[in-house]
Every structure is written in C-alpha cells, then in structure tokens.
Amino acid sequence: METVWKIREWTAEEQATAEQLAADLDISLLAGRILAGRGIRTAVEARAYIHPTLDSLHDPFLMRDMTAAVNRLEQALDRHERIMVYGDYDVDGTTAVALMYSFLRTQTDNLIYYIPDRYREGYGISTVGIDTAKREGCTLVIALDCGIKAVDKIAYANTLGVDFIICDHHTPGEEIPKAVAVLNMKRSDCPYPYKELSGCGVGFKLVQAYAQRKGIDKQEVYRLLPLLAMSIASDIVPVTGENRVLAFYGLRALNAYPSVGLKAIMQVAGIEGKPVTISDLVYKIGPRINAAGRIKSGAEAVRLLITEDEDEAKQFALDINTYNQDRRDYDSQTTDEALEQLHADPHNEEKHTTVVYSPEWHKGVVGIAASRLTETYYRPTIVLTAGENGIISGSARSVSDFDIYTAIDSCRDLLTNFGGHKFAAGLSMRLSDLEEFKRRFEAYVAAHITPGQQVPTLEVEAEVELSDMNWKLYKILQCLEPFGPDNERPLFLCRGLINNRNTRAVSDGKHLHLDLTDRIVAMDGIAFGEGDKAQHLQNGKSVDVCFYLEENSFRGRSTLQMNAQDIKVD
C-alpha cells in the first residue's frame, strides 16, 4: 500500500511567528517553522522548551485523591503495616512497581511486590492477587498501571480489610472503584492540568507528593527518573508537557548513573558505553523488559530493575535476553499463521478490520502480531487466542487517528473484560460470541473510519533543499528531543534527487546506501528495505525522499546523513 505524504501547511500567523523566531534567535526560517510548529511563540518560550526544568513539574497535590493517598501511605509507614506494590506485567507496569518499591524500601522493610500472571490472572487487579495480599498480611496495596475499572475486585478487597491506592492512567469507566484513593488524571473530576502521564508517571506523582509532605530531598525522588523515562518511551504516551520534562531528565540520569539492573540490560542490548536515546528505550531495552512478562513473568523484570547485586543483575539480564529471543520466534510464527488465515479468507480485501483467532497462539505475543498485521493491511486489528473456560482474549491495535477503544466499547455487551486507550487495547470474550463480535466490530469501524484513516500517512514537516540540512539546524533539532508521540522527529521531503556517485544496494540487496545530490549539494544516507530502487538511481533517474536528518559517526568523523523513511520514484 502506497504511503501518502501529508506536507504541513502553514497559516499566515504561524509563518509570521516563524519569521519572528528566526530573527530573534538568529536561526533559519526552517528552524523557526519547526519551533512554531510545536506551539512556541516567543524567544523566551523557545529557550524554556530547549532547556526544560524539573521546577516546571506540576504540584502532585493537584491530582484528585492525592491527599487521601498520601495520608494512607503515611499511616501505613508510621504503623509499620505490610505494603504490597502491585503492577501490570508490561514495561509501564513493571517500571512503575520498580520505581515505587525502590522508593518505599528506603522508608520500610515491611514490603513486597506482586505482578499478576499474564495467563492465569490476566490484566489488572486479580482475585488471586488480592488473596495473596491478605495471606501475606498486607493491609495496603498500591496498584500501578491498572485498577481504574476494578470496581468488583476493590469491593472484594474491602471485605477482607485490604486497602487499595490506585495509580492508573487508562480511561475510567462509568463507576470509579471505592478504593482509599484513585489517582487518575483522566477522571472527569480530576483538575490535574496534564492528562497524559504513564501509569509509572502517576506512581511517580504519589512518590513526589509523599516526599514533599515528609521533606525528603528531591534528589531521592529524581534518581528514579530513568525508570519513568522507560515507561514513557515504551507505553507510547505523548512526549509533551510534563512527560517531555520527565523523559528528558530520565534519559540524562540513565546516561549519567544507570542502576545496576539497567546497566546489565544495556550490556546485553549492546548499547553500554553509548549515549542511550529514546529510540534505544523503545526498540532495545523496552522489548527485553516486556519479554519477561510475555514469556515467563513480569516479576522477572522487576527483579532485574530493583537488584543492587551486579552478579545477580547480569544473570537476570541474560535470562531476559533469552526470553526476548523466544518472544521473537513466537511473534514470527504467530504473524505468519495470521497472514495465512487472512489470505484464505475470500472477503478479506473488502473488510475494514482484521480480527483473527487461534487457540494455539502464545498469549504473550498477540499484541506484537496485531502491530505487524496493521503494517500489512493498515486497518484496526485484533489478534485473539484461547484462555480458560471458553474465554478467549487478545490485543487490539489501531491505525492513524482512529479510536479503537471506542469501537471495542460499542461491543461491550459481548465482552467479559476490556481496557486500554485510543491506539491500543486488550479484551476478552466468550468463544461463542466471536463471530457476532467480528460482525459488529466490522460494522462499527466501516461506519466511522474515514478514507484518510485507511491509508498509511507520513506527516512531513517541510519540503526542503539539501542545502538546508546543516549542522546548525541539526543542533536545534537535538534541542527538541526527546521525540515521541505529539513531539515527532521532524520529517523532511526533498524532491528530484539523483545518484551522485555511490548509491548501491547493500545487505544482500535488501537495503539501500544513498549517495544523492540535487546537482548542487550531495548527501549520504540509508534507506532500509529500499534496495530494489538501486537500479533506478544507477540508471540516472530521480527520486523524491522523505527522511530524518541524523548524525553518522564513523572512525572518529561525524557527518550528517539522511535516514530515509519513504522513497518515491519519478
């Protein structure tokens, strides 16, 4: 499917702002446009954006129920009550548990953590987890990255005398659980000004609030920021506002003084000794942390993240690396089998959705398989596998700007459980309801998805000349990091480029080494998966290229290069 390039259009007001920023900051008009495109209006705002400060973080007590949460935590610590830190099995949940546990163990030794089993208990707060808390003598459970819909489970915990503080960021249901405190900035009655924190981020705000109440040095809280940066990167939350500040300082701390566990996982990921970027968290560290919960147990990831023993950390990291390789194998097999199902369906090409099921698929990789299938067919996708007692469960992934959570919600009467957000969700249902779910889900999406949401799109920041790509611009781009959702890395478009001298296919013809020119300036680059275009360029024909500007260091020499995201032949 051909990707549509959507080039940003500038209003007269934005153009005027860009021109003023360029003049005030002594930068190019292109750089001024990039800043203006992020809502920056003045030189003062630009400097504040480029140099974020932790002092800009919002007061945690602005969050609904925060005072009640801190009061209950303070009471538990003063009385030396046994506390359970409970979290989901993905990166957001395990980093949240590691963050909360790491902080609380400086305050008490009467502490345990708990990660539900993905297969026996499923997502969120479980009866098994509550019973474990009761059996272990825990009178307070701090639930992280889950719990906002656990109305019945919290009611059950209340009958056992087990109090809950819920720290969640998922969309609330119609009823809020009757916990001691429910921290979630997406509650309709919550005045907290920033609504896009990760689950780990909500836990961080509780730690921040408790430290503020007790006069604990802020640095004791900020040393936990590497864990929060991992959650922000891996949970695909917007990298704006508070999240950008937290990710910025989390990466800085991770590079300056990684914990024993993080250092070990950086070693097995092959990135030790190099500046760790947000991309490294997304593509190298995050998948390994996730693999523990997918293949074995999320508790394995927590063990790695909280250990202070180097030998232990090395072994845990090696184990997790093995789980990640197993995950890759399961992922590949599941995706291939799902594609075979779709190819065998004579009506597949007419549909607006993909819903596939096999009882044989590994539950830990259905979300990854759903993402792979969206790359092939580019439509809202759900991959399901067997559970227990006739219940099937799986993961959903969306496309473009389509709200898959609302689409699933329209079928809620067929579901035994569901949760998530606009771009991704989890769900379960009776196997007997699968065909009816497919029909209704397809009907809802067909009625609500727009033509523009049915084709892959690249959002292009600006059409440029190669001469615009210089070190001064690159340094400004670096100041806008870390990039992520709603703060995307600027994507540029350059038209009519031809082979300069050495454009060629590499890696057995799979990829393309670029050496392109606009007949004035030449620039190297790489285009993954575009090796088939080598002959076209070598024959003297031109191409249009969408690319990121990046630095390439080789043998002590740094140059700017294109990282091509799409190439169209003329």
Side-chain angles (χ1 to χ4, degrees):
M1 185 180 297
E2 185 170 330
T3 301
V4 173
W5 296 351
K6 186 177 178 182
I7 303 172
R8 183 185 180 95
E9 295 181 359
W10 295 85
T11 65
E13 181 181 355
E14 288 173 327
Q15 179 68 14
T17 299
E19 291 172 358
Q20 190 63 53
L21 286 169
D24 291 345
L25 297 170
D26 189 25
I27 57 177
S28 67
L29 178 58
L30 174 59
R33 284 180 170 177
I34 292 169
L35 294 176
R38 279 149 178 75
I40 296 168
R41 295 291 173 261
T42 66
V44 172
E45 290 178 3
R47 293 187 180 99
Y49 192 92
I50 289 169
H51 303 290
T53 170
L54 288 166
D55 290 338
S56 68
L57 297 180
H58 301 301
D59 182 350
F61 286 99
L62 293 174
M63 193 173 291
R64 172 82 185 210
D65 278 4
M66 185 60 80
T67 297
V70 173
N71 288 345
R72 182 64 185 91
L73 178 57
E74 186 176 26
Q75 180 187 66
L77 292 171
D78 287 346
R79 295 178 177 178
H80 207 58
E81 295 178 46
R82 194 162 176 78
I83 300 172
M84 174 186 279
V85 182
Y86 186 116
D88 190 25
Y89 38 68
D90 66 4
V91 177
D92 193 12
T94 54
T95 54
V97 169
L99 183 148
M100 185 64 66
Y101 186 91
S102 296
F103 175 76
L104 288 179
R105 71 180 170 188
T106 67
Q107 309 296 309
T108 180
D109 57 4
N110 203 5
L111 183 69
I112 62 173
Y113 65 85
Y114 187 89
I115 304 290
D117 184 272
R118 180 189 287 266
Y119 308 108
R120 289 190 304 110
E121 300 167 71
Y123 168 79
I125 296 170
S126 70
T127 302
V128 174
I130 295 169
D131 289 342
T132 302
K134 179 65 176 178
R135 185 173 63 253
E136 292 287 335
C138 297
T139 49
L140 176 63
V141 177
I142 301 175
L144 298 142
D145 191 35
C146 59
I148 192 60
K149 288 189 173 181
V151 175
D152 294 341
K153 298 296 194 302
I154 297 303
Y156 172 65
N158 289 340
T159 68
L160 300 180
V162 177
D163 288 343
F164 266 78
I165 296 172
I166 293 173
C167 303
D168 203 354
H169 71 130
H170 294 99
T171 305
E174 294 179 3
E175 184 179 353
I176 300 295
K178 291 181 172 56
V180 168
V182 179
L183 306 178
N184 187 328
M185 59 283 153
K186 290 178 181 171
R187 289 178 57 168
S188 60
D189 58 353
C190 181
Y192 194 77
Y194 187 69
K195 303 296 184 182
E196 302 298 339
L197 294 170
S198 64
C200 185
V202 180
F204 173 81
K205 299 307 290 190
L206 174 57
V207 169
Q208 186 187 17
Y210 180 82
Q212 191 171 306
R213 167 80 64 84
K214 304 299 286 186
I216 297 170
D217 188 341
K218 289 180 180 179
Q219 295 308 314
E220 288 299 303
V221 178
Y222 294 158
R223 69 181 178 84
L224 303 169
L225 286 177
L227 294 165
L228 183 47
M230 288 172 57
S231 85
I232 291 169
S234 298
D235 216 53
I236 320 297
V237 292
V239 185
T240 58
E242 246 184 345
N243 278 346
R244 181 170 174 270
V245 176
L246 294 165
F248 178 92
Y249 281 95
L251 280 169
R252 176 180 286 186
L254 178 59
N255 281 298
Y257 46 88
S259 68
V260 170
L262 286 174
K263 188 174 182 179
I265 199 69
M266 288 159 62
Q267 287 175 336
V268 299
I271 56 175
E272 187 190 22
K274 306 173 185 176
V276 177
T277 66
I278 204 92
S279 293
D280 292 327
L281 299 183
V282 173
Y283 297 111
K284 295 181 180 178
I285 296 181
R288 286 173 166 83
I289 298 297
N290 248 336
R294 294 183 188 281
I295 305 302
K296 185 81 178 282
S297 167
E300 301 274 312
V302 176
R303 283 204 306 168
L304 169 66
L305 295 172
I306 66 174
T307 187
E308 296 177 332
D309 183 285
E310 288 189 8
D311 292 335
E312 226 179 33
K314 288 177 182 177
Q315 186 57 55
F316 292 161
L318 288 171
D319 291 343
I320 281 177
N321 208 43
T322 300
Y323 302 149
N324 191 49
Q325 186 56 57
D326 293 343
R327 185 271 305 168
R328 287 176 177 171
D329 295 341
Y330 288 130
D331 162 27
S332 178
Q333 180 181 351
T334 300
T335 302
D336 289 346
E337 292 177 4
L339 287 170
E340 287 176 10
Q341 277 192 29
L342 295 171
H343 293 157
D345 180 359
H347 304 292
N348 179 53
E349 298 296 333
E350 307 162 13
K351 294 179 179 177
H352 297 81
T353 62
T354 295
V355 182
V356 288
Y357 162 74
S358 169
E360 305 301 321
W361 291 335
H362 195 290
K363 191 174 180 181
V365 300
V366 291
I368 301 170
S371 296
R372 300 270 190 262
L373 295 178
T374 60
E375 294 171 5
T376 303
Y377 288 104
Y378 206 75
R379 58 198 190 195
T381 297
I382 298 175
V383 179
L384 298 154
T385 189
E388 297 179 354
N389 303 318
I391 300 297
I392 63 176
S393 62
S395 294
R397 296 293 184 270
S398 195
V399 295
S400 188
D401 201 33
F402 184 77
D403 188 342
I404 201 167
Y405 179 88
T406 301
I408 293 170
D409 185 57
S410 72
C411 308
R412 62 164 51 232
D413 58 300
L414 298 174
L415 305 177
T416 57
N417 194 21
F418 76 103
H421 49 77
K422 183 174 182 176
F423 301 112
L427 68 162
S428 58
M429 70 187 80
R430 291 175 292 276
L431 177 58
S432 57
D433 287 329
L434 176 58
E435 292 306 315
E436 177 63 10
F437 175 84
K438 284 183 178 181
R439 186 191 67 78
R440 284 173 49 184
F441 183 66
E442 167 70 20
Y444 180 94
V445 174
H448 293 85
I449 199 165
T450 66
Q453 292 170 333
Q454 297 178 70
V455 292
T457 303
L458 285 178
E459 303 284 342
V460 178
E461 186 88 20
E463 189 169 339
V464 299
E465 305 293 336
L466 287 184
S467 58
D468 295 322
M469 302 292 103
N470 53 50
W471 283 105
K472 188 173 182 180
L473 175 68
Y474 181 71
K475 296 300 182 186
I476 291 170
L477 298 183
Q478 285 184 300
C479 292
L480 303 181
E481 295 182 359
F483 295 118
D486 293 349
N487 182 39
E488 302 286 352
R489 182 183 300 276
L491 183 66
F492 303 113
L493 166 60
C494 202
R495 298 189 189 274
L497 300 179
I498 59 172
N499 180 32
N500 182 42
R501 294 178 181 174
N502 195 28
T503 296
R504 65 191 187 279
V506 294
S507 301
D508 295 326
K510 186 176 181 180
H511 307 311
L512 187 63
H513 169 79
L514 300 172
D515 176 16
L516 302 178
T517 180
D518 56 6
R519 298 175 178 82
I520 301 173
V521 175
M523 181 175 283
D524 286 348
I526 186 70
F528 295 107
E530 298 279 13
D532 61 335
K533 296 184 172 64
Q535 193 64 51
H536 174 89
L537 281 158
Q538 289 166 357
N539 288 339
K541 297 179 181 179
S542 65
V543 293
D544 299 337
V545 185
C546 275
F547 65 95
Y548 296 128
L549 183 65
E550 64 180 22
E551 181 177 359
N552 179 41
S553 296
F554 184 67
R555 292 179 178 174
R557 179 172 175 262
S558 291
T559 58
L560 293 175
Q561 72 170 16
M562 291 181 280
N563 185 329
Q565 302 302 296
D566 197 23
I567 297 177
K568 291 184 179 178
V569 299
D570 291 345

